[in-house]
Amino acid sequence: MHLTKQEIEQFHQLGYVVKPAVFSQAAMQPIKDAIDEMVDRKARQLPAEGKLADTCADAPFETRLAEIQAAAKAAAQAIVSYIWCKGGGCYSGPAMLAMLRHEPLLGCIASLIGEDIVGSSVYRIRPKMPLWERGEVPWHQDSGYFLPHCDTHLLVTCWVPLVDATLENGCLWVLPKSHQNGIITHHRGGHGGYLEIIDPDLPPVEPIPVPMTAGSVLCMTNLTPHASFENHTDQVRWSLDLRYQSMSAPNN
C-alpha cells in the first residue's frame, strides 16, 4: 500500500491526509488485547484497595474503562495514569512494535519520506475518556514539543484510531495549510496541562474535523496545527500516535 499522487499532493499542500483501511481489525487486535490486559491488570488491583467494587470484566474494549469511570471516577483515573505512565508511552511490547512495523503503513510513509525510515520512540496510547478533565487537547503543533532543530525537518505523525473517531467522541481537527507558516508560539498551562496555541496566535483558517473509521491513518506534518475536543459518548476513543522521519534527517 502506498499513497496516491493526489494523496501526496494533499499532504504537502494541506499538511495532512487520511488513508483509509491501513489496518484491518485483525491487525489491530493484538494492540487492543495488550491495552485491555493493562486495563484488566490495574482494575484487578483496585478492589483490594477499596477503590473499585466491579471491574466490569465482561464489558467490551470500547466501553470497559468508561463503565469503570461511571462507577468509580478515581479508579478510572488510576487506570488511565497506569496506561499513560510517561505521557502515554508506557507500553512497549510486541503489539506496539507490530503496529510500528505494519507494512501497509510503512508503504504510505515511504511515499512521503522515502524508503529509509526511522520509527520514533515517541509513540503514544491515547484513551479519550467521556467528559474527562483532560479530554480536550488544545490547538498545538507536534513541533511545539520538539527541540528547535526538528522544526526544519519533516517528522510524520500517524494518528491511528482503534475505534471509529467521530465528532461526538472527539475526532481530531486540523487547520489546513497552516503548516506552511512555520512554528507558532506555544504557551504552557493550556487545558489539561498541555502546550497550547492561544486564540490570538491561531492562523485565520477554518478548522476542519477529521472523522475516521478504525484502522484508517491520519498523516500530519509536525507543523500541522491540530486539536481534539470532548468525548460526549459512553465509549472510550482509543487511538495511537506513531511517528516517523527519514534517515537523512539529522538528530541534532
Side-chain angles (χ1 to χ4, degrees):
M1 178 181 287
H2 289 80
L3 298 180
T4 66
K5 179 180 178 181
Q6 292 74 19
E7 289 168 337
I8 295 170
E9 289 176 352
Q10 178 182 325
F11 177 84
H12 290 296
Q13 291 175 5
L14 302 185
Y16 77 99
V17 70
V18 174
K19 187 69 171 179
V22 176
F23 291 89
S24 66
Q25 287 294 335
M28 292 188 293
Q29 195 59 50
I31 192 67
K32 292 168 69 174
D33 289 344
I35 294 170
D36 198 43
E37 183 180 351
M38 294 181 74
V39 171
D40 188 67
R41 186 184 310 130
K42 186 63 178 178
R44 289 181 183 277
Q45 296 175 4
L46 297 175
E49 300 172 10
K51 298 179 180 178
L52 183 64
D54 182 2
T55 64
C56 303
D58 295 330
F61 172 80
E62 293 80 6
T63 63
R64 183 180 184 185
L65 193 49
E67 291 184 28
I68 291 174
Q69 175 182 254
K73 188 174 182 180
Q77 289 177 328
I79 295 170
V80 169
S81 294
Y82 176 67
I83 293 169
W84 264 79
C85 191
K86 298 177 180 178
C90 189
Y91 175 74
S92 57
M96 184 65 78
L97 185 60
M99 296 293 288
L100 284 159
R101 288 180 169 178
H102 189 59
E103 287 293 339
L105 175 61
L106 294 181
C108 295
I109 298 303
S111 301
L112 298 172
I113 62 176
E115 299 291 338
D116 293 329
I117 299 169
V118 176
S120 171
S121 61
V122 186
Y123 47 79
R124 297 288 182 260
I125 298 173
R126 305 283 187 188
K128 181 182 280 291
M129 303 290 291
L131 301 177
W132 190 257
E133 292 86 10
R134 295 192 67 192
E136 291 190 27
V137 179
W139 289 105
H140 68 284
Q141 299 162 296
D142 283 352
S143 275
Y145 288 91
F146 300 160
L147 293 174
H149 73 266
C150 300
D151 297 345
T152 56
H153 302 284
L154 176 59
L155 285 79
V156 181
T157 292
C158 297
W159 190 80
V160 187
L162 302 178
V163 301
D164 290 350
T166 66
L167 287 170
E168 292 76 20
N169 71 8
C171 68
L172 263 62
W173 292 66
V174 298
L175 295 179
K177 298 185 179 180
S178 299
H179 67 299
Q180 300 172 4
N181 301 325
I183 189 72
I184 305 169
T185 299
H186 288 66
H187 296 264
R188 297 184 182 276
H191 182 82
Y194 296 104
L195 293 180
E196 178 177 10
I197 302 171
I198 60 176
D199 287 348
D201 294 332
L202 286 174
V205 177
E206 186 70 24
I208 294 178
V210 190
M212 299 165 59
T213 55
S216 300
V217 175
L218 169 61
C219 296
M220 297 181 290
T221 80
N222 43 306
L223 293 174
T224 302
H226 56 285
S228 68
F229 305 107
E230 283 190 348
N231 177 356
H232 292 282
T233 72
D234 60 358
Q235 74 166 205
V236 181
R237 193 224 64 194
W238 290 101
S239 63
L240 303 179
D241 300 352
L242 309 175
R243 294 180 174 84
Y244 301 87
Q245 67 183 65
S246 168
M247 181 72 78
S248 62
N251 294 317
N252 53 51

